Amino acid sequence: MIRAVIVMNTQGKPRLLKFYDFQPPEKQKELIRSVFAVLSGRPDNVSNFVEADAIFGPGTRLVYKHLATLYFIFVFDNSENELAMLDLIQVFVETMDRCFKNVCELDIVFNFNKMHAIVDEIIFGGQVLETSSEQVMKAVEEISRLEKSSNSISFVPKAVSGRFGR
Amino acid sequence: MNAFSSPSRLRDLIRAARACKTAAEERAVVRKECAAIRSSINENDQFFRHRNLAKLMFIHMLGYPTHFGQMECLKLIAAVGFPEKRIGYLGLMLLLDERQEVLMLVTNSLKQDLNHLNHYIVGLALCALGNICSAEMARDLEPEVQRLFLSRDLDIKKKAALCSIRIIRKVPDLAENLMIPAASLLKEKHHGVLISAVQLCITLCKVSDIPLEHLRKSCIKGLVQILKELSNSSYTPEYEIAGVMDPFLQIRILKLMRLLGQGDVECSEYMTDILAQVATRTESHKNAGNAILYECVETIMGIEATSGLRVLAINILGKFLSNRDNNIRYVALNMLMKAVSVDSQAVQRHKTTILECMKDSDISIRKRTLELVFLLVNETNVKPLTRELIGYLEVSDQDFKGDLTAKICSIVKKFSQEKKWYIDQMFKVLCIAGNYVKDDVLHSLIITISNALDIQGYCVRSLYKALQNHPDQGSLVQVAVWCIGEYGELLVNNIKVSEVENTMNVTDSHAVDVIEASLKHHLSDITIQSMCLIALLKLSSRFTSTSERIREIIIHHKGSVVLELQQRAIEFNCIIQRHQNIKSSLLERMPALDESSYIGKRTSSSQVNISAVKLTRPTPVASPSLPNGVAHAPTNPLLDLLDLIPDDNPVPTSSTNDIVQDLLGIGLGNPLTSGTISPSVGTDILLDLLSIGGTNDQNDVPVLDVSSKQGSEPLTNPSTFEVMDLLDGTTKDRSTDDEHPVYPSIIAFQSGTLKVAFAFTKKPDKPQITQIQVTCTNLSTDEYMDFIFLAAVPKFIQLQLEPASGNILPANSDGAITQTLTLTNSQHGQKPLAMRMRMTYKVNNQDKLEQGQVNNFPPEL
């Protein structure tokens, strides 16, 4: 079972958090801090797997990918295949890339709502739901369309977020 | 209606939070925003509800409490529009805890939404349920979810399957209800549905045995068929990752097969072909392919596979180890560790590849490799493996050396068949990573050396050489200094040189040189320095030619600023200068240390701070050979004594008493004698010691190492004798007396009616203490009732009166009352004893009183 999906930047700021076991806010902050402490200390040439027993409890591991200014982290227990999790991160990142056309940190910051939609279409209650980024895209686009068509607006359209450079 | 025409508010919040330079600024922004949201909630503002919740989710992500927004989630879920529902469910999943009662309120909305016509809304409800469902909700909503298995929409189907996983986890009883629908989902063609269905089956199998049996019977064929198709890659580009067909589905199916095959030979046999096919045909250039292979190996290891299939699996892992990708090597090592217990032989074949991984640049891989190598070591391969590991120890980086050293030491200890090999390997480790060797490892090494009589010479010579080349390896220095101190003469005289050694010409002064160098080395800590001092002391009795030089070194350290060293130097100097006669026996070589009792001792005294100083502790083996039972007196009082009597600071006479009391206190730290401390015990100790002191040439008496600091250290006889010697100012005259001195009894008082006689006993070691046995006899013809004997002494004498044997004194000397007095004369030798006494009694109910002064004490008292 997947325990958590975390996206954070290289300064340790969380950009997307999804815990499949509820975590109170204080605990959540602490988890982020400890994960960041582990990842920021790791050199580039090492494996992408970290034993996370000390952070998330016995038997847990995390796999991460460091892309541009972001860490993508999946935390899971020993019933999952580490290599497959690495591929799942790949699916996740590919899907975001398709959604935002060359995704960057700012897209994620201003569209965390849509990010959640993507995560929920890939992982469902800690289980893998869909591994084809095409299928995920379809579902996410349909949700966006429904949100717009019911005469409400999405929080921050892509065009708006684009205007705020760094 | 459209309150969101200006979307700036959420965006503003995100921008404001991003612009914050410090955590305090961010807190201020969030506090302000939360206040605004609260007031908006209080006004029950419908237009902003949607946006407020979105903001709360952002605030939640930053790690601030958002519990006040929980009711807003429920309101939004109950709304009609899709956007409201969506944000409501999102909030529900993020902000709410399944333990909260608020959650109960949402059950009804969920039920309605699960039956909604819009399948996206059904999807939202399923998703929320799958994330946060509680046991009660699971029972209530299970029929709805199961009904959705039959939905025509594939998206709903797979979500319903995954949602059931959460339901079964919460209420395992429901597993049997879901077993048949789950099995039928496995017949679907759509990959997404299949993945979900397989995952559901895995959960069912883990929860209960009934679905496991059902699936074994009904599904195994179907699963093998699906896997076969995937493995033969009938092309569907949608699910392809890097040229591999739907790796996720393959992995899940393999996982399910593992559960089905475990403990079921028939099922396992049925899978053999397809597993072999997957294992051989899967492309291994990409991560996805390797993920499948990895899972396949795990399944082969998990089921009742044939040995051929297992070898195939382990060979795949072997291949993984030479993969360039760190991740692949990492998982391969993980898997091999599990495989060792299944088929150690097959894993052994990849030993060389595994050892290569010790040199990996990734520390997590190195650590794993080390663990694996540790599992692989056995009697037959220990020598080559140790050689490899030690070779690697030389090049490994600092953070890894500690782990590696500990593992090598434990391997060498566990599998050594001959002492020389063990000692050789340990010396190598000490030379390379002496600073990482733990104290207990050192102790057991020293015990081994002390027991290896035939190679002690070899040991001390190797250590001598090693010490010259590696003066900076702490533990090496400790062992070497200890051995040179103990076996110095073997070093100098080239005793028992084996053919393989080069003869060395080491003189006495060379040996002293290396120890002096270690003593002065800038990296040497107190432990090493103290050990050096002991070694020098020991050498001073072995090498007469250098004893003057050793004395100078020791005297030099009398001025050390480190108290411990200073104290030792003073003590040792005292031994060298004043106690030549006992020095040689005091500095005897230590007897062979007994390993079993050492281990027992270690476990019993584990609460004692273990320091390297303990290396030199005399072991209890020596005790049985001692003629009396007082060998366990601790060292501390000795040190105290030595402190009291520094040679340049003569003891004032008045403190003699204290010293004696200190001596008596020998037993204080010792549970064996602490219960019986009394003057007589102390006297016995000393008497016993005296009888030993007469025979200085006892060879089996172990040598005291004053290095032991712990109070629990056993102290052996000669050292206690040393105490005696230090006191020779006061006891010299008597120390040669082996017998109790006898004093004549006196008649202390005699009248016409009463006689009082004194008999004296005295312990030779405590001249100031006199024990008097008082015997009173009735000379009259009347019986005395209520007889009381009282005594009074001058101030410089202490009097202790024991209870009398009775208070009725029969007439006509027909019986007596006896009573014991103990007198302690604090000015013994200067003033004689003196006493007054008074006897009261009743004769025929008349009170009588008699008194007198004792002037006729024997002069020696």
Side-chain angles (χ1 to χ4, degrees):
Chain A
M1 179 180 165
I2 298 168
R3 297 285 183 82
V5 174
I6 302 169
V7 179
M8 64 166 89
N9 71 3
T10 40
Q11 266 95 55
K13 283 263 173 217
R15 291 306 179 210
L16 174 78
L17 293 179
K18 179 92 183 172
F19 291 99
Y20 293 98
D21 327 305
F22 181 81
Q23 305 287 352
E26 316 80 54
K27 175 82 180 154
Q28 177 187 311
K29 261 185 158 173
E30 189 194 315
L31 292 174
I32 295 289
R33 254 201 305 277
S34 13
V35 169
F36 180 68
V38 170
L39 295 190
S40 58
R42 281 175 78 86
D44 288 340
N45 61 345
V46 301
S47 72
N48 298 63
F49 307 124
V50 182
E51 308 267 311
D53 303 47
I55 308 173
F56 291 96
T60 52
R61 281 165 292 178
L62 64 83
V63 48
Y64 69 98
K65 232 173 191 176
H66 182 183
L67 298 169
T69 56
L70 293 170
Y71 285 117
F72 295 86
I73 302 146
F74 282 19
V75 184
F76 52 93
D77 61 21
N78 49 20
S79 68
E80 298 288 338
N81 180 320
E82 295 101 323
L83 296 174
M85 285 299 120
L86 202 56
D87 274 342
L88 198 62
I89 293 186
Q90 189 58 38
V91 171
F92 179 46
V93 175
E94 264 174 33
T95 313
M96 281 191 301
D97 214 38
R98 285 186 179 193
C99 277
F100 297 112
K101 318 265 182 314
N102 269 330
V103 66
C104 71
E105 189 180 339
L106 273 183
D107 294 324
I108 294 172
V109 174
F110 284 100
N111 295 287
F112 70 90
N113 182 25
K114 195 167 186 180
M115 292 284 291
H116 273 290
I118 297 172
V119 173
D120 284 344
E121 285 304 317
I122 296 178
I123 300 165
F124 181 105
Q127 306 290 334
V128 178
L129 174 67
E130 183 57 70
T131 58
S132 150
S133 61
E134 203 135 313
Q135 298 269 333
V136 177
M137 276 293 294
K138 265 189 216 163
V140 173
E141 272 163 12
E142 190 63 22
I143 287 171
S144 310
R145 193 186 56 75
L146 269 172
E147 284 192 325
K148 280 188 190 127
S149 67
S150 47
N151 203 16
S152 189
I153 51 115
S154 76
F155 303 110
V156 184
K158 168 83 176 161
V160 177
S161 74
R163 261 186 268 138
F164 297 99
R166 270 159 214 249
Chain B
M1 170 66 201
N2 189 353
F4 302 101
S5 52
S6 89
S8 60
R9 300 282 304 269
L10 172 66
R11 195 188 62 211
D12 283 347
L13 171 61
I14 296 175
R15 275 175 62 203
R18 270 171 57 77
C20 293
K21 294 269 187 310
T22 64
E25 273 181 52
E26 188 185 276
R27 273 198 295 278
V29 167
V30 170
R31 202 159 44 229
K32 206 172 144 201
E33 194 62 47
C34 283
I37 294 172
R38 271 172 201 265
S39 62
S40 169
I41 289 172
N42 288 343
E43 287 160 20
N44 205 4
D45 188 338
Q46 298 201 7
F47 295 137
F48 290 110
R49 190 171 280 153
H50 179 276
R51 189 171 66 189
N52 285 342
L53 195 57
K55 279 195 254 180
L56 277 179
M57 284 191 280
F58 181 75
I59 290 168
H60 176 260
M61 184 171 73
L62 295 177
Y64 297 92
T66 50
H67 49 88
F68 53 86
Q70 286 169 353
M71 282 313 289
E72 296 300 287
C73 292
L74 304 194
K75 286 178 190 159
L76 281 168
I77 289 168
V80 186
F82 180 81
E84 285 81 9
K85 272 194 190 298
R86 168 158 153 67
I87 205 84
Y89 278 120
L90 199 54
L92 184 71
M93 287 187 280
L94 290 177
L95 309 183
L96 264 76
D97 182 350
E98 66 172 88
R99 278 157 293 193
Q100 271 151 359
E101 297 200 350
V102 189
L103 207 54
M104 288 307 294
L105 304 173
V106 90
T107 313
N108 210 30
S109 308
L110 275 170
K111 197 165 193 160
Q112 279 175 8
D113 285 345
L114 286 175
N115 292 317
H116 206 279
L117 289 174
N118 182 339
H119 64 253
Y120 284 98
I121 289 177
V122 179
L124 287 179
L126 277 173
C127 188
L129 192 59
N131 276 303
I132 52 132
C133 135
S134 64
E136 289 91 348
M137 288 166 86
R139 281 182 207 282
D140 289 348
L141 299 175
E142 188 265 338
E144 257 70 30
V145 174
Q146 203 187 324
R147 194 180 47 74
L148 290 171
F149 276 34
L150 305 171
S151 159
R152 238 182 285 156
D153 187 274
L154 295 173
D155 211 40
I156 298 298
K157 251 187 194 176
K158 60 187 186 189
K159 281 184 179 165
L162 291 181
C163 188
S164 322
I165 292 178
R166 171 92 184 188
I167 290 174
I168 297 164
R169 287 229 173 98
K170 289 289 156 196
V171 190
D173 306 349
L174 294 172
E176 285 168 51
N177 293 0
L178 285 162
M179 142 184 112
I180 294 167
S184 65
L185 277 184
L186 288 176
K187 298 191 179 79
E188 289 283 338
K189 286 283 170 231
H190 186 265
H191 289 212
V193 178
L194 272 176
I195 289 185
S196 309
V198 173
Q199 288 181 108
L200 174 57
C201 290
I202 291 171
T203 313
L204 285 170
C205 291
K206 280 184 182 163
V207 165
S208 148
D209 283 341
I210 301 165
L212 181 64
E213 282 306 316
H214 176 79
L215 289 170
R216 265 183 192 152
K217 286 197 198 89
S218 62
C219 298
I220 187 70
K221 266 189 195 156
L223 288 172
V224 169
Q225 189 55 38
I226 298 169
L227 200 53
K228 205 170 264 168
E229 277 169 26
L230 287 170
S231 177
N232 290 338
S233 18
S234 40
Y235 194 59
T236 37
E238 240 186 321
Y239 282 94
E240 182 221 272
I241 291 183
V244 180
M245 266 310 298
D246 202 350
F248 290 98
L249 182 54
Q250 292 201 40
I251 287 165
R252 300 284 157 185
I253 291 176
L254 286 167
K255 208 185 278 285
L256 179 55
M257 284 176 138
R258 180 157 72 243
L259 288 169
L260 298 180
Q262 219 156 30
D264 189 324
V265 181
E266 204 180 320
C267 220
S268 301
E269 223 175 85
Y270 193 80
M271 295 172 198
T272 306
D273 284 349
I274 184 65
L275 289 176
Q277 188 188 334
V278 172
T280 45
R281 280 218 204 156
T282 307
E283 174 92 51
S284 66
H285 296 302
K286 293 278 161 51
N287 183 53
N290 285 323
I292 296 173
L293 283 174
Y294 174 55
E295 196 67 41
C296 185
V297 169
E298 194 164 358
T299 298
I300 292 172
M301 289 296 161
I303 65 167
E304 315 302 313
T306 58
S307 63
L309 199 56
R310 281 198 178 142
V311 171
L312 177 68
I314 290 172
N315 288 347
I316 291 175
L317 296 178
K319 238 185 281 167
F320 275 12
L321 287 181
S322 37
N323 197 302
R324 280 197 6 258
D325 188 346
N326 288 332
N327 298 330
I328 309 278
R329 288 200 301 274
Y330 179 90
V331 295
L333 289 167
N334 263 347
M335 198 62 224
L336 280 169
M337 259 190 268
K338 290 184 202 163
V340 171
S341 57
V342 180
D343 190 348
S344 155
Q345 221 40 46
V347 180
Q348 293 282 3
R349 247 172 267 146
H350 299 279
K351 210 167 54 195
T352 22
T353 340
I354 294 170
L355 281 171
E356 275 303 301
C357 292
M358 292 291 289
K359 303 185 180 99
D360 206 285
S361 56
D362 182 349
I363 186 152
S364 53
I365 289 184
R366 289 200 301 266
K367 281 195 171 144
R368 240 133 248 283
T369 313
L370 185 57
E371 304 265 319
L372 178 59
V373 170
F374 188 64
L375 292 176
L376 283 180
V377 176
N378 57 28
E379 278 82 4
T380 50
N381 62 16
V382 62
K383 289 192 177 178
L385 277 180
T386 311
R387 194 170 53 239
E388 286 285 339
L389 290 178
I390 291 179
Y392 175 56
L393 187 60
E394 288 181 64
V395 293
S396 69
D397 55 16
Q398 299 300 321
D399 0 336
F400 193 47
K401 271 196 171 126
D403 283 349
L404 190 55
T405 309
K407 281 279 190 291
I408 295 177
C409 291
S410 113
I411 290 172
V412 167
K413 180 84 192 151
K414 196 167 155 199
F415 294 102
S416 77
Q417 284 134 355
E418 48 203 289
K419 277 182 180 168
K420 181 159 181 298
W421 181 79
Y422 164 67
I423 288 172
D424 273 343
Q425 305 310 312
M426 285 306 301
F427 286 176
K428 279 187 203 160
V429 173
L430 286 175
C431 288
I432 301 167
N435 292 323
Y436 297 91
V437 179
K438 296 273 184 302
D439 283 347
D440 51 337
V441 177
L442 274 192
H443 298 167
S444 66
L445 173 64
I446 283 188
I447 289 172
T448 312
I449 294 178
S450 87
N451 282 300
L453 294 173
D454 45 337
I455 52 170
Q456 277 165 356
Y458 166 75
C459 290
V460 69
R461 285 187 290 273
S462 324
L463 284 168
Y464 174 78
K465 270 184 273 182
L467 185 56
Q468 286 180 318
N469 297 329
H470 307 278
D472 50 346
Q473 303 287 356
S475 329
L476 174 74
V477 177
Q478 287 187 18
V479 179
V481 164
W482 188 87
C483 284
I484 294 174
E486 287 295 320
Y487 312 115
E489 66 273 27
L490 302 178
L491 172 67
V492 174
N493 303 334
N494 272 329
I495 293 168
K496 294 177 194 158
V497 178
S498 61
E499 314 81 69
V500 289
E501 286 182 70
N502 302 324
T503 43
M504 293 188 298
N505 254 336
V506 185
T507 63
D508 301 4
S509 61
H510 284 146
V512 178
D513 280 345
V514 285
I515 296 192
E516 194 183 2
S518 307
L519 187 59
K520 287 182 178 158
H521 197 276
H522 66 286
L523 289 175
S524 298
D525 56 9
I526 297 184
T527 312
I528 294 178
Q529 290 176 335
S530 317
M531 291 178 76
C532 288
L533 284 179
I534 295 165
L536 287 172
L537 179 68
K538 288 212 161 191
L539 288 182
S540 75
S541 78
R542 314 235 158 116
F543 304 155
T544 41
S545 60
T546 54
S547 60
E548 190 51 33
R549 189 172 149 211
I550 289 174
R551 202 176 67 86
E552 275 165 20
I553 299 173
I554 288 178
I555 288 176
H556 175 74
H557 278 83
K558 274 165 74 174
S560 170
V561 286
V562 184
L563 186 62
E564 176 69 27
L565 297 179
Q566 186 188 41
Q567 183 177 331
R568 273 167 204 246
I570 289 169
E571 290 162 11
F572 295 170
N573 185 44
C574 182
I575 291 170
I576 292 173
Q577 282 194 318
R578 295 179 44 194
H579 304 288
Q580 282 297 338
N581 53 336
I582 55 149
K583 199 176 86 178
S584 58
S585 62
L586 184 64
L587 304 177
E588 274 286 329
R589 189 183 293 173
M590 285 183 64
L593 302 161
D594 182 43
E595 193 148 7
S596 51
S597 68
Y598 168 76
I599 291 163
K601 197 167 186 75
R602 277 189 64 79
T603 45
S604 67
S605 66
S606 55
Q607 75 277 14
V608 177
N609 179 28
I610 295 166
S611 77
V613 180
K614 274 195 180 175
L615 285 175
T616 49
R617 71 154 49 144
T619 59
V621 203
S623 335
S625 68
L626 300 174
N628 58 60
V630 293
H632 291 279
T635 332
N636 263 351
L638 168 65
L639 300 182
D640 283 347
L641 279 171
L642 291 170
D643 262 356
L644 272 172
I645 319 173
D647 41 3
D648 48 353
N649 183 13
V651 198
T653 331
S654 61
S655 73
T656 326
N657 201 9
D658 297 341
I659 295 171
V660 173
Q661 266 158 17
D662 257 9
L663 263 180
L664 296 179
I666 279 173
L668 277 173
N670 187 336
L672 283 176
T673 55
S674 58
T676 56
I677 296 172
S678 70
S680 66
V681 169
T683 314
D684 283 345
I685 294 173
L686 291 164
L687 281 175
D688 283 337
L689 289 170
L690 285 176
S691 62
I692 294 167
T695 54
N696 262 353
D697 51 348
Q698 267 182 303
N699 280 337
D700 57 339
V701 173
V703 172
L704 165 75
D705 275 294
V706 195
S707 67
S708 337
K709 286 192 289 191
Q710 276 77 18
S712 61
E713 298 300 293
L715 174 67
T716 48
N717 280 344
S719 56
T720 322
F721 176 68
E722 176 66 11
V723 177
M724 277 304 302
D725 238 22
L726 291 165
L727 288 170
D728 54 8
T730 51
T731 60
K732 206 167 194 169
D733 297 343
R734 281 175 236 285
S735 60
T736 47
D737 272 355
D738 270 1
E739 289 171 13
H740 292 251
V742 179
Y743 299 96
S745 299
I746 57 164
I747 306 294
F749 177 81
Q750 186 155 19
S751 68
T753 50
L754 189 65
K755 189 175 92 172
V756 179
F758 281 7
F760 304 98
T761 42
K762 209 166 165 90
K763 302 287 159 64
D765 51 292
K766 289 193 210 72
Q768 62 273 65
I769 295 179
T770 311
Q771 227 177 47
I772 303 174
Q773 173 96 355
V774 181
T775 313
C776 306
T777 7
N778 182 353
L779 302 175
S780 76
T781 50
D782 297 310
E783 197 179 51
Y784 296 167
M785 309 293 288
D786 296 335
F787 184 89
I788 294 168
F789 172 86
L790 295 167
V793 288
K795 273 185 185 160
F796 63 89
I797 299 174
Q798 280 182 355
L799 169 72
Q800 209 183 333
L801 204 58
E802 306 289 338
S805 60
N807 61 357
I808 298 171
L809 202 53
N812 301 324
S813 307
D814 187 18
I817 290 176
T818 57
Q819 193 162 12
T820 308
L821 308 178
T822 309
L823 299 183
T824 311
N825 184 354
S826 63
Q827 296 190 26
H828 177 79
Q830 293 173 0
K831 292 190 179 174
L833 290 179
M835 187 194 285
R836 282 188 181 178
M837 53 192 176
R838 166 196 293 211
M839 284 70 69
T840 58
Y841 51 92
K842 281 182 179 168
V843 187
N844 303 325
N845 265 346
Q846 283 189 313
D847 285 328
K848 294 266 184 178
L849 184 145
E850 295 191 65
Q851 51 188 356
Q853 185 162 357
V854 189
N855 299 321
N856 55 343
F857 278 111
E860 307 91 324
L861 291 173

